[in-house]
Amino acid sequence: MTVPNSRLLNLTQAQLKTWVVQAQIQSQRGQLPEYIPLLAQANPFWFAVQFQCIDGQVHQFGNITLLFPLMSVVKPFVLLFLLEQLGAEAVFSRVGIEPSDEPFNSLKQLQADQGLPRNPMLNSGAIALASLLPGENAHSRCESLCLWLNHHSNSQLFLDESMLSSVRSVANERNRAIATLLSQSGYLDDVELALDTYNHVCCLSGTIADLASLGMLLAQCQKPIRLEHCRTVNSLMTTCGLYQASRRFAVEVGLPTKSGVSGAMVSVVPSQGAIAYGTAQGAIACYSPPLDQEGNSVAGVFLLQQLAQVLNLKG
Ligand code: GLU
């Protein structure tokens, strides 16, 4: 398949290698998150990136066998799954579509909005959506999401049980307060089940190739997945995908992107001059644990800035 004006396809291994080396140096300015013990123990030098083009070309760098948890990177995929299963009306009766300038785990934002989560990329929105996943318990709910994602993206995601134990080992009072307010406002029924499901889906894990495959799910948007659902998810990633840096990143880089506290990051690269993600150029997946002050992977942000500037990927 030929993609017109596909500059992502024109990238050479040597060009990318230069940016990768710079990104790895930059990453050492970042910090590891402290509130999840296993993430705090990550090696700050761990690094993997995959550039994947729609014609099948793949460029990989770093340790491609590393396994890492998606954390908040799972949020757009929970949204896509539920849009497909339940439809937009049911989903957006539980969660809004507006960006927020508050942190990802803000209770203040939820209180200001009378208990309706601002968007699905915040913890409040993702916890509300976790409560809509089909299944009897957190494990089966997570499994149904995992099976669906693996089937449609051809990836091998799995639940990392030791990461889940680590997440559970520290009481997350903020997420609990969010879930309690959601329940009081009528946006979820069972606080424990919603929190447990949310923790499970955040611990879905895989390699950089799996993350790139998830990105391609949004980039290619192949049948039976509806194009309008991919567009909705990509748009929300553009406006809300990078915590408080979302607005700035949308102007500077402009690629639909989602980051997570593990240092994972996934971007969709649209075709030149088109917001038609059905004809995207490809996807970029990056994993590098050190985070900037806004909680985004330093190396991931750096790489995307280089790409967007030099290649004018926005069109
Ligand atoms: N499970 C994490 C939390 O709720 C995910 C946060 C993130 O990746 O931003 O704190």
Side-chain angles (χ1 to χ4, degrees):
M1 178 181 174
T2 315
V3 181
N5 302 324
S6 180
R7 295 189 215 166
L8 189 61
L9 294 180
N10 298 334
L11 289 169
T12 64
Q13 187 86 358
Q15 255 174 333
L16 293 173
K17 177 81 190 164
T18 311
W19 288 330
V20 164
V21 170
Q22 289 171 350
Q24 283 177 286
I25 295 167
Q26 294 274 330
S27 74
Q28 298 311 301
R29 292 190 291 112
Q31 302 282 324
L32 296 176
E34 280 165 12
Y35 72 102
I36 297 176
L38 262 188
L39 295 184
Q41 288 164 29
N43 180 338
F45 292 97
W46 281 340
F47 182 89
V49 63
Q50 180 159 330
F51 301 86
Q52 182 138 353
C53 303
I54 206 131
D55 73 338
Q57 265 189 67
V58 173
H59 298 281
Q60 293 177 317
F61 299 90
N63 190 341
I64 59 170
T65 60
L66 276 174
L67 296 167
F68 55 88
L70 298 178
M71 291 291 156
S72 275
V73 174
V74 80
K75 291 171 181 170
F77 301 99
V78 170
L79 174 63
L80 182 67
F81 177 65
L82 287 174
L83 285 171
E84 286 291 306
Q85 302 297 313
L86 308 175
E89 210 180 303
V91 168
F92 292 115
S93 66
R94 299 285 184 115
V95 64
I97 55 168
E98 299 293 336
S100 164
D101 290 325
E102 295 294 324
F104 68 101
N105 59 356
S106 172
L107 181 62
K108 200 172 109 193
Q109 182 75 76
L110 190 62
Q111 287 164 335
D113 294 334
Q114 285 80 45
L116 175 67
R118 232 339 126 105
N119 68 65
M121 306 299 153
L122 293 171
N123 283 13
S124 53
I127 293 168
L129 292 187
S131 79
L132 295 179
L133 288 171
E136 284 187 0
N137 52 46
H139 195 88
S140 62
R141 286 169 175 229
C142 178
E143 194 172 49
S144 66
L145 173 69
C146 186
L147 286 173
W148 188 85
L149 288 174
N150 283 342
H151 174 71
H152 288 285
S153 68
N154 201 19
S155 47
Q156 272 108 48
L157 299 171
F158 65 97
L159 175 66
D160 182 341
E161 298 277 1
S162 43
M163 189 57 66
L164 181 60
S165 305
S166 183
V167 168
R168 284 169 160 169
S169 69
V170 184
N172 192 328
E173 297 303 340
R174 186 64 74 87
N175 281 351
R176 178 163 297 279
I178 286 171
T180 305
L181 179 52
L182 286 170
S183 150
Q184 287 161 354
S185 327
Y187 292 110
L188 66 79
D189 304 326
D190 185 330
V191 169
E192 295 310 321
L193 182 56
L195 283 175
D196 201 19
T197 305
Y198 172 73
N199 286 338
H200 272 71
V201 298
C202 283
C203 293
L204 285 178
S205 302
T207 62
I208 200 69
D210 293 318
L211 186 53
S213 298
L214 287 180
M216 292 307 284
L217 186 61
L218 292 171
Q220 289 182 300
C221 200
Q222 285 171 338
K223 285 195 171 80
I225 296 176
R226 290 170 68 167
L227 186 56
E228 67 196 79
H229 292 158
C230 289
R231 284 198 178 134
T232 301
V233 174
N234 285 324
S235 300
L236 284 164
M237 282 166 69
T238 304
T239 51
C240 314
L242 275 98
Y243 312 116
Q244 298 102 299
S246 300
R247 290 176 203 262
R248 199 180 66 242
F249 189 83
V251 175
E252 284 176 8
V253 176
L255 301 181
T257 300
K258 186 71 197 86
S259 61
V261 74
S262 55
M265 206 173 225
V266 67
S267 298
V268 174
V269 185
S271 291
Q272 295 295 305
I275 307 294
Y277 298 102
T279 57
Q281 297 184 45
I284 301 167
C286 184
Y287 170 63
S288 169
L291 306 178
D292 63 21
Q293 287 190 340
E294 283 147 328
N296 298 307
S297 167
V298 174
V301 170
F302 175 83
L303 271 177
L304 294 173
Q305 282 169 339
Q306 302 312 302
L307 280 163
Q309 272 174 24
V310 178
L311 300 180
N312 193 16
L313 287 173
K314 287 181 279 175

